[in-house]
Amino acid sequence: MAAGLKTVILLSFVLAVGFLLIILSCALWANWLPLLVALTFVLAPLPNALFAHCGGDEFSAHESTAAVDLGRFITATIVVTGFALPVVLTHSEVIKPAACVMSIIGGGLVYSTIMAYTAAFRQDYSEFD
Amino acid sequence: MSFPRSSYDPRRVCLNPFPEFNLGKHRRTIGIYLAGALFALANWTFLDAAILSAHAHPPYDEPQIPPPVHVAFVDWVPGICSLLGMLIINLIDKDRIKGDDGFGDPGAVWRARLFLFIGFAFMAGGLAGSVSLLVLKYIMHDYPEQYTYYGYANVSQNVALMLSAVVLWIAQSVHEEYDYQLSL
C-alpha cells in the first residue's frame, strides 16, 4: 500500500521535527521544564482512546454515555494545559519567550501527528465492522 | 374569572426551563470539548497568578522594597468553591430534575433539586468571593497594576469556571434524535 507508506514516512518525519523543536527549546537554555509539554501532548489522546469503547452498542448512534463525555472533557483539558504551560512559565520568567514559542510549535506538531495518524488509519479497520 | 391552565406544576417556585436545543449531530461533542478547554483555561489563569506571585521580585529601580502582596490561601478559596459547585452540578442526573416522577420515589426529585441549588450556590459564592477578594485585598490598597493582576486573574478564573459549567450543562441536555444505525 504505497499511499499508506508515504503517509507513515511523512508523519514520522513531522513527529521527529516536533520532538526536535521541544528538545531544542529545553537544551538551548539548559532548562528542561518545557519537556513537560511533550509529555502532556503525548498523554492528550489517551483519555479519548480509553473511554471510546465505553460508548453505546452498535445499534444506537448515541455514543453519548457519561464515560465518553468524561474522556472528551479530560482530553480538551490536557490539550489546553499543553498550550498554557509554556505561556505560564514564560510569564513568570522561568523560561525564555523563544523557548515558549518553540515548545508550543513542537507540541502542536506532535499532537497533530497523533491526530492525523488516527484519522488516516481509522478507515482501514472500520471496513470490517 | 379563572386563570388559564398553566403548562407547568404551579406549586414549583423555581422553574428551570430546559430550552429544547435541537442542534446538529456534533454540537454535543463540540460543547463538551469547549467546556473542558474553558475549565483548563480557568485553572491555568489562576495558576499563572500563583506562579507569578511565587517568582515575584522587587522592582529593578528600587531593589530594597519587597513585593507588597502575595497569593495566599485566601485566594485559592473562591476557586475551590467554584470547583465544588461544578462537581455537584455535574453529578446530578439531569432527568431527575425535570420532575417526571413516573418512576422512583418522588422524594428523589426534591433532593436532586436541593443539591442543584447547593451546587449553584457554591458557584455563585465562588464568583462573589473572588470579586470581593479583588476589591478588598487588591483594589482598596492601591497596589500597582502588577499586583492587582492577581485579583483579576481570580475573577476571570471563576467566570470561566461558571461558563464551563453552563456550556457543559447545555451540551449535555441537547436532545439527539434517536436514530438507529442498522449496518447490514
Side-chain angles (χ1 to χ4, degrees), chain A residues 2-52:
Chain A
L5 193 63
K6 274 179 200 162
T7 317
V8 166
I9 292 172
L10 179 71
L11 283 180
S12 60
F13 192 71
V14 174
L15 187 74
V17 170
F19 274 115
L20 171 75
L21 274 175
I22 291 180
I23 291 176
L24 265 186
S25 77
C26 300
L28 281 184
W29 290 274
N31 186 348
W32 291 85
L33 274 174
L35 207 59
L36 285 174
V37 175
L39 185 70
T40 314
F41 278 113
V42 167
L43 282 183
L46 201 60
N48 251 353
L50 281 180
F51 288 118

Side-chain angles (χ1 to χ4, degrees), chain A:
Chain A
M1 199 172 176
L5 193 63
K6 274 179 200 162
T7 317
V8 166
I9 292 172
L10 179 71
L11 283 180
S12 60
F13 192 71
V14 174
L15 187 74
V17 170
F19 274 115
L20 171 75
L21 274 175
I22 291 180
I23 291 176
L24 265 186
S25 77
C26 300
L28 281 184
W29 290 274
N31 186 348
W32 291 85
L33 274 174
L35 207 59
L36 285 174
V37 175
L39 185 70
T40 314
F41 278 113
V42 167
L43 282 183
L46 201 60
N48 251 353
L50 281 180
F51 288 118
H53 300 287
C54 304
D57 52 2
E58 56 194 15
F59 287 110
S60 62
H62 267 270
E63 63 166 62
S64 59
T65 57
V68 179
D69 289 351
L70 179 67
R72 286 178 177 147
F73 189 85
I74 296 176
T75 299
T77 310
I78 296 177
V79 170
V80 173
T81 298
F83 284 113
L85 187 65
V87 175
V88 167
L89 286 179
T90 312
H91 195 191
S92 52
E93 299 174 0
V94 177
I95 63 175
K96 296 278 188 295
C100 163
V101 171
M102 281 167 75
S103 61
I104 284 181
I105 293 174
L109 283 180
V110 170
Y111 184 62
S112 57
T113 306
I114 298 171
M115 284 293 100
Y117 193 89
T118 47
F121 293 100
R122 182 179 294 148
Q123 293 303 110
D124 286 346
Y125 79 107
S126 72
E127 263 176 34
F128 303 103
D129 270 353

Side-chain angles (χ1 to χ4, degrees), chain A residues 69, chain B residues 17-24 26-35 38 86 89-90 94 98 120 162-176:
Chain A
D69 289 351
Chain B
F18 277 101
E20 297 283 323
F21 284 101
N22 238 334
L23 302 170
H26 294 289
R27 293 297 169 88
R28 183 187 169 102
T29 313
I30 293 171
I32 287 168
Y33 278 129
L34 189 66
L38 272 173
M86 194 173 169
I89 289 171
N90 283 299
K94 307 273 186 302
K98 282 183 201 166
F120 275 116
M162 192 170 253
L163 272 180
S164 167
V166 167
V167 169
L168 196 61
W169 180 279
I170 290 174
Q172 284 191 324
S173 55
V174 167
H175 289 281
E176 299 172 10

Side-chain angles (χ1 to χ4, degrees), chain B:
Chain B
M1 174 178 172
S2 66
F3 289 106
R5 190 174 167 78
S6 56
S7 60
Y8 53 87
D9 188 358
R11 289 167 300 176
R12 289 182 54 184
V13 177
C14 294
L15 287 178
N16 25 23
F18 277 101
E20 297 283 323
F21 284 101
N22 238 334
L23 302 170
K25 199 177 175 186
H26 294 289
R27 293 297 169 88
R28 183 187 169 102
T29 313
I30 293 171
I32 287 168
Y33 278 129
L34 189 66
L38 272 173
F39 180 78
L41 203 65
N43 288 313
W44 276 108
T45 311
F46 177 67
L47 283 180
D48 179 39
I51 297 172
L52 199 63
S53 161
H55 284 267
H57 49 72
Y60 288 117
D61 43 349
E62 295 160 341
Q64 67 273 17
I65 303 175
V69 67
H70 279 289
V71 171
F73 180 70
V74 187
D75 301 72
W76 290 77
V77 172
I80 294 172
C81 277
S82 286
L83 269 178
L84 270 179
M86 194 173 169
L87 203 64
I88 293 172
I89 289 171
N90 283 299
L91 282 177
I92 295 173
D93 191 1
K94 307 273 186 302
D95 295 329
R96 285 269 181 244
I97 307 161
K98 282 183 201 166
D100 310 325
D101 20 34
F103 55 93
D105 56 330
V109 179
W110 181 82
R111 263 178 279 141
R113 283 183 194 142
L114 177 68
F115 274 100
L116 186 73
F117 175 75
I118 292 174
F120 275 116
F122 262 116
M123 296 210 75
L127 189 60
S130 69
V131 171
S132 58
L133 195 81
L134 166 69
V135 172
L136 289 180
K137 191 177 171 184
Y138 296 101
I139 290 184
M140 296 281 279
H141 291 272
D142 284 333
Y143 290 131
E145 195 177 341
Q146 183 190 354
Y147 302 113
T148 49
Y149 168 72
Y150 303 157
Y152 288 119
N154 209 329
V155 173
S156 51
Q157 176 205 18
N158 287 284
V159 169
L161 274 181
M162 192 170 253
L163 272 180
S164 167
V166 167
V167 169
L168 196 61
W169 180 279
I170 290 174
Q172 284 191 324
S173 55
V174 167
H175 289 281
E176 299 172 10
E177 55 269 28
Y178 190 72
D179 52 347
Y180 285 100
Q181 269 193 345
L182 288 174
S183 54
L184 294 175

